């Protein structure tokens, strides 16, 4: 088939690479300009560079809604558009232009975790699996019929970075598997169960701010979800920002006020956590490594030279 690819960052790059190595003919690529947004500078392999290396025409757009782009797409005469990590709305006159419509590749197990940063949200929420879904695009974001979907297991120590590497390797087989079904003439695919749908927003600084009223297991997952190269989860100590680089759920149970710097346990320092921490039935968060406001990284047992005081959400 003649394919136009819409995509951005490493997700789009992997999709384009898979298409270029397939039996299909990539006739045009549409991608976004480079961005200074913190999350868009991560996994930033260039779709434009890869396309140009293979002689594929490239259009760069923030939004795909201008007449010039529409004319270019019509001239390209695609059988299908394949999109992955396209960051803005694709209007119906674009996604319905090709003979077979538009196939969107999304890094979650749809209908759950539509929208943005699905791996991070899924890890924080304690999901046992994550994955990649290829679905036909329609008027509702990430809601079209599923053509192919594959999952991987979330292991207890996995970080968001681990899950990125696991799922990005699924892009090629999911994309090429879905295109094989479409090229073979299939038109009936699996409708999404909208009763199971969830939609998540882009992550911002407030989403990585520690709330010590969260239970310790959720805080531990937040720290893993915000592993390098993502911005680290942070709190404040004596008015200065303190990033948490690694942590574990404490073995013991600790009561008191959430945020209290309480007890040395093994290689960590336990911080009281949870909405009902005063009962003494909660585990705390055993922080093991931190980064200070001036960029120093050190074990929590060295940073916290004495117990007492509080970690807070605000300075």
């Amino acid at each position: 088939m003649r394919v136009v690819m819409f995509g951005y960052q490493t997700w789009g790059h992997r999709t384009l690479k898979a298409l270029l190595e397939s039996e299909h003919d990539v006739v045009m690529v549409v991608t976004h300009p480079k961005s200074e947004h913190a999350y868009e500078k991560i996994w930033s392999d260039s779709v434009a560079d890869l396309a140009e290396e293979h002689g594929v025409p490239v259009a760069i757009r923030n939004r795909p809604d201008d007449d010039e782009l529409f004319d270019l797409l019509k001239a390209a005469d695609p059988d299908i558009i394949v999109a992955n990590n396209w960051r803005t709305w694709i209007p119906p006159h674009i996604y319905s232009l090709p003979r077979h419509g538009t196939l969107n590749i999304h890094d979650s197990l749809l209908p759950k975790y539509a929208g943005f940063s699905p791996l991070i949200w899924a890890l924080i929420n304690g999901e046992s699996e994550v994955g990649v879904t290829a679905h036909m695009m329609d008027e509702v974001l990430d809601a079209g019929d599923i053509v192919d979907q594959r999952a991987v297991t979330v292991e207890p120590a996995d970080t968001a970075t681990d899950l990125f590497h696991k799922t990005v390797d699924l892009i090629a087989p999911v994309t090429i598997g879905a295109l094989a079904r479409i090229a073979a003439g299939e038109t009936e695919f699996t409708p999404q169960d909208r009763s199971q749908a969830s939609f998540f927003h882009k992550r911002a600084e407030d989403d990585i701010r520690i709330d010590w009223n969260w239970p310790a297991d959720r805080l531990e997952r937040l720290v893993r979800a915000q592993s390098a190269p993502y911005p680290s989860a942070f709190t404040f100590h004596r008015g200065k920002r303190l990033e948490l680089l690694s942590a574990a759920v404490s073995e013991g149970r600790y009561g008191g006020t959430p945020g209290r710097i309480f007890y040395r346990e093994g290689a960590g320092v336990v911080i009281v956590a949870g909405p009902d921490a005063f009962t003494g039935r909660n585990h705390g968060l055993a922080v093991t490594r931190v980064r200070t406001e001036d960029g120093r990284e050190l074990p929590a047992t060295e940073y916290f030279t004495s117990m007492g005081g509080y970690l807070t959400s605000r300075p």
Side-chain angles (χ1 to χ4, degrees):
M1 294 188 292
R2 292 173 60 83
V3 180
V4 168
M5 209 283 290
F6 277 63
Y8 189 50
Q9 295 178 280
T10 301
W11 294 271
H13 187 278
R14 285 293 188 96
T15 306
L16 178 57
K17 183 174 184 291
L19 291 169
L20 291 168
E21 293 174 353
S22 75
E23 63 183 356
H24 306 289
D25 184 15
V26 182
V27 294
M28 181 178 172
V29 164
V30 187
T31 189
H32 295 302
K34 291 182 179 179
S35 171
E36 292 304 309
H37 187 284
Y39 282 89
E40 292 182 1
K41 291 168 69 175
I42 301 169
W43 316 126
S44 57
D45 293 307
S46 174
V47 170
D49 289 352
L50 180 61
E52 289 167 358
E53 287 169 13
H54 287 80
V56 179
V58 178
I60 297 178
R61 295 290 193 279
N62 280 313
R63 297 182 178 277
D65 51 7
D66 60 276
D67 292 340
E68 180 187 14
L69 179 62
F70 186 60
D71 289 342
L72 289 171
L73 291 169
K74 285 194 295 183
D77 191 29
D79 294 305
I80 194 164
I81 291 172
V82 176
N84 192 351
N85 199 40
W86 182 260
R87 311 295 281 178
T88 58
W89 181 62
I90 298 177
H93 72 282
I94 298 290
Y95 70 68
S96 62
L97 174 66
R99 297 172 185 82
H100 298 292
T102 294
L103 181 76
N104 187 52
I105 314 300
H106 182 70
D107 54 335
S108 83
L109 297 175
L110 293 174
K112 295 182 177 180
Y113 297 95
F116 300 90
S117 305
L119 295 179
I120 293 177
W121 289 113
L123 179 51
I124 292 169
N125 290 333
E127 300 290 352
S128 61
E129 288 185 323
V130 293
V132 172
T133 302
H135 70 94
M136 301 308 301
M137 187 174 287
D138 62 17
E139 68 276 6
V140 180
L141 183 63
D142 295 336
D145 290 356
I146 294 171
V147 185
D148 199 341
Q149 183 177 80
R150 307 188 191 196
V152 291
T153 300
V154 179
E155 300 295 344
D158 275 345
T159 66
T161 302
D162 295 326
L163 298 183
F164 165 81
H165 289 296
K166 288 182 178 183
T167 55
V168 80
D169 286 343
L170 296 177
I171 288 174
V174 167
T175 301
I176 302 308
L179 289 179
R181 294 186 66 186
I182 295 166
E186 291 187 52
T187 58
E188 298 295 323
F189 304 113
T190 305
Q192 293 190 37
D193 180 356
R194 302 308 297 158
S195 70
Q196 299 298 310
S198 56
F199 184 85
F200 287 80
H201 61 73
K202 288 183 180 179
R203 292 187 65 77
E205 181 159 289
D206 268 355
D207 300 309
I208 62 176
R209 186 189 305 272
I210 294 283
D211 181 346
W212 293 105
N213 289 296
W214 283 16
D217 59 347
R218 193 174 183 207
L219 291 175
E220 185 270 340
R221 292 195 300 270
L222 174 62
V223 172
R224 281 192 284 127
Q226 296 298 151
S227 61
Y230 297 102
S232 299
F234 70 94
T235 186
F236 289 90
H237 184 222
R238 297 173 178 168
K240 293 185 177 182
R241 182 175 173 130
L242 183 69
E243 296 180 353
L244 306 189
L245 304 183
S246 62
V249 177
S250 69
E251 294 181 8
R253 297 176 186 270
Y254 299 88
T257 303
R260 179 73 172 184
I261 304 161
F262 189 28
Y263 192 77
R264 293 179 185 270
E265 183 185 273
V269 173
V270 176
I271 314 300
V272 177
D276 55 353
F278 65 90
T279 65
R281 293 193 294 267
N282 288 1
H283 294 279
L285 185 71
V287 178
T288 53
R289 193 164 185 83
V290 301
R291 182 189 292 122
T292 61
E293 198 168 75
D294 61 5
R296 291 183 302 129
E297 293 186 18
L298 63 165
T301 51
E302 291 184 19
Y303 174 79
F304 295 106
T305 56
S306 61
M307 299 299 99
Y310 292 86
L311 298 181
T312 59
S313 296
R314 306 282 172 178

